[in-house]
Structures are given as C-alpha cells and as structure tokens.
Amino acid sequence: MLALGASGLLAVLSGLDSRRLGVAVLVIGPVLACARLNAWRTAVVSGWALLLALGVGAARGLLATAGFGIELLVLLTGCALAVLDAARHTGDADALARATEVAQASQNAILRPMSAQLGGIEVCARPRCAVEGATVCGDLYDVVHTPYGVRLLVGDVRGHGLDALRTTAATIGAFKDLAYLTPGLADLATALDARLTPELGPEDFVTAVLAEFAPGEVRLVNCGHPAPIRAGKQVGLLEPLEPAPPLGLHPRPRLYRFYLQSGDRLLFYTDGLSEARDANGADFPLLERAGAALAELAPCDVLDALYAMAAAHAGRTPMDDIALVLCQPTSMVAPSPAVRPPTLARGTGGAPGNCHHETG
C-alpha cells in the first residue's frame, strides 16, 4: 500500500508541475515495493506506476514527445529491475526457509528430548537453544546400552550454526560407533579424539564428559567439560583430580570411579547453565539450586526447573545453549569385590572414600 500510495502521489505532483517532476520519478513506487514484496506484487505496483505515467502523459499532451518517451523508458527499465530484484530476494528467502527446515529436522533427528530407562538407569534429557527460534545448537548428548553398561556422552561443540551441527553429528555418530566396541571408557575418549580431530578446524574442539554406569558406581572420563553433580545424602561435584583438554586437542584421559548410594541422582549439564550470570556478573548458584531441585522434583521436572531458575537469575533467556541430562539408577546393587579398588583416594564429590582414579 505504501508503494501504491507513493506512486499515486508522485503522479499527481507530476501532473501539477511539469517543470519539476517527470513521470520517471514514479519508479520510486516499484523500488519501495521490491524491498518488501514478492515479484508478483512488485509487478502489480510496477504496472500501476506505468498506467499512472501514461495517464499523466495523456493529461499533459506529452505522449508523442521524445522527452516523455525517454522518461517512460527509464520508468519501464526501473520497473523491470525492481521485479527482478524482488524475485531474487524472494528466492533467497525461500532457500533460507528450506535450509532452516532441513536444519531443524536434522537437529531433531540428532538431538531431541529424552525420557527412557536403559539398563536400570532412568535418563531424562533436554536441549535448549540460546537464541529464540534457533534451529541449531552446539550442545549434545547421547546414551547407549552397551555390553559394558549404560554409557552416556554429554558435550559442547565450539561455535554455532551449521558447522556446529556437522560437528555435533560427527561426535554423536562416532560415540555410537565406538561405545559398543571399546571396553575401556578412557580408551573410548581417546578413540573419539582420534576420530574427530581430522574433521575439526584448527580452532575447533568439543568438551565432553563420558559416563559408564556399573552396579553401585559410575565411571567418568572428563575432557574439559563441567563436572557432573551428584545429589543424594550430600550434593557435590564429581570433579577429576587432574583436568584434561577437550576432544580435538589430544587429551590423555583418566578414568575416575565414584560410588553411588540408593537415591543418588546425577546431573550432567553444559556451561550455559553453570555460567549463567545476572546483571551484576554473579554466577548462577548451581549447587544450591540443583540440590534443592534434585531433592524435591520428579526427574524430568528438575531439568525444566533448572532452566527456568537460570533464566530468572540472568533476568533473560540464557545467552548460551544448555543441554541437561539427569540419570538416576532405578535399582541399586553394591559393587562386587572383584571391581572394588583396594585403596580409595579422597574424592571431590563430597564424602571421603568415594573416588578412585585410574590412568587411561
């Protein structure tokens, strides 16, 4: 409507003052139209501008003059270019919409909310994108039931967009392939690093924590990722004694074993949760809020509540992607003496005597 109105106004002004305005100025209408409308609607505005130009020329008796013919040719050329430009940007918008739809379908196929029981472990997972309406996130998780127990991967790919989606797909695909074939969890991390490194750019990496559930314990390998939280009689971080770099940076991973007691829950997350900050720069009080939620809420409700708490703390949608995974053993069996380490080091998960580390 703005383009049609502009063309009409310019036509009136051209008819009133032949010394200042010529009909070629009517091209402003199609130019305005092509910036917002598709090719067909721009063509309608262009046709309206040409009809107005002919009407003005007839009213002023200029149809047969050379000057009017030149102005009409300029207007006709401008209208044609406006229609072509509208067709181009409409095509680009359609292509972007199709690419977005494909990216959304790919993201949903790779990473989707989960609520399942595998090998005596209840698993709930939720992905959250930082940008409203975004289709591709950089955080990832996957869980598989292997001959070595239930294994979990939670990671964070550097970057966003389609490059992150490709790395996410490669990481999850490699995990699915190797988790069934690699007996040792530390060896699995090493194999993942070897598989991913050729596909990563010079500045790319993937932070990751791998977990393996066994009777009465969880085994962890952490490659530059935030430490999981164990909540039960006590709440604490299951931190490695020695940090390892992320996948893609050639880590030398080490295996850590933590005992689990009846009712324990494990929360795995990405740094979008732990690094959520308020307007004053204060970090989200993760252990305090997670401990309260893990003690009171149903497993999947915990994840929604923690995301809402992080958003309330920041006063806005968190600025980074967040992936949350909650694991809870549904039956508890004590570790067999055959796998119990003879000497236990003091762990970082809360109580002494709950962590043992082994070289990878």
Side-chain angles (χ1 to χ4, degrees):
M1 293 301 295
L2 175 61
L4 292 174
S7 296
L9 177 61
L10 290 170
V12 172
L13 293 176
S14 296
L16 291 176
D17 191 347
S18 60
R19 295 171 299 174
R20 294 184 180 178
L21 295 176
V23 294
V25 77
L26 294 174
V27 76
I28 292 177
V31 169
L32 290 174
C34 76
R36 300 294 298 273
L37 305 179
N38 59 25
W40 183 84
R41 292 180 176 178
T42 302
V44 170
V45 174
S46 298
W48 170 247
L50 289 170
L51 288 175
L52 289 175
L54 293 173
V56 169
R60 292 164 52 184
L62 301 174
L63 291 179
T65 63
F68 181 82
I70 292 174
E71 289 194 15
L72 189 64
L73 180 61
V74 171
L75 175 60
L76 182 61
T77 302
C79 290
L81 292 175
V83 173
L84 290 174
D85 187 66
R88 180 191 57 78
H89 77 68
T90 300
D92 291 344
D94 291 342
L96 178 61
R98 289 192 297 270
T100 300
E101 184 178 355
V102 170
Q104 179 71 71
S106 301
Q107 177 84 8
N108 290 339
I110 295 170
L111 199 67
R112 59 186 180 275
M114 177 188 302
S115 180
Q117 288 200 23
L118 299 171
I121 307 296
E122 183 176 358
V123 181
C124 295
R126 295 285 187 272
R128 299 279 191 168
C129 286
V131 180
E132 184 177 356
T135 58
V136 182
C137 298
D139 295 352
L140 61 95
Y141 54 78
D142 194 31
V143 59
V144 292
H145 192 187
T146 75
Y148 315 107
V150 175
R151 285 179 163 178
L152 170 71
L153 165 69
V154 178
D156 188 353
V157 173
R158 181 181 181 275
H160 298 274
L162 294 179
D163 288 338
L165 178 60
R166 283 191 291 268
T167 304
T168 296
T171 304
I172 293 178
F175 175 72
K176 287 182 179 295
D177 290 343
L178 298 170
Y180 293 93
L181 305 175
T182 312
L185 196 64
D187 294 333
L188 174 57
T190 300
L192 283 172
D193 176 72
R195 176 77 69 88
L196 291 174
T197 297
E199 302 187 31
L200 298 175
E203 297 182 358
D204 294 335
F205 56 81
V206 181
T207 69
V209 59
L210 296 166
E212 179 181 280
F213 291 90
E217 69 176 14
V218 62
R219 302 158 188 164
L220 299 177
V221 171
N222 195 320
C223 297
H225 198 79
I229 294 174
R230 179 181 57 192
K233 293 181 179 179
Q234 297 184 10
V235 179
L237 296 173
L238 303 186
E239 295 180 307
L241 299 180
E242 296 181 11
L247 301 177
L249 300 180
H250 309 298
R252 299 180 61 185
R254 304 183 68 180
L255 177 69
Y256 295 86
R257 299 166 61 180
F258 297 86
Y259 289 158
L260 296 178
Q261 298 179 343
S262 179
D264 281 353
R265 289 174 166 181
L266 297 180
L267 175 68
F268 299 82
Y269 55 94
T270 53
D271 60 9
L273 180 68
S274 56
E275 296 180 359
R277 294 181 174 86
D278 63 14
N280 297 321
D283 289 334
F284 178 60
L286 178 58
L287 281 179
E288 175 187 342
R289 301 293 178 83
L294 288 165
E296 299 173 0
L297 300 176
C300 289
D301 293 339
V302 170
L303 307 185
D304 296 330
L306 283 174
Y307 183 82
M309 290 177 190
H313 174 78
R316 61 183 184 281
T317 301
M319 301 298 290
D320 196 4
D321 302 331
I322 297 177
L324 301 172
V325 182
L326 177 63
C327 297
Q328 178 177 347
T330 56
S331 60
M332 186 59 58
V333 179
S336 66
V339 300
R340 184 186 294 272
T343 303
L344 298 181
R346 179 179 296 270
T348 58
N354 67 349
C355 170
H356 175 68
H357 62 86
E358 304 172 0
T359 57

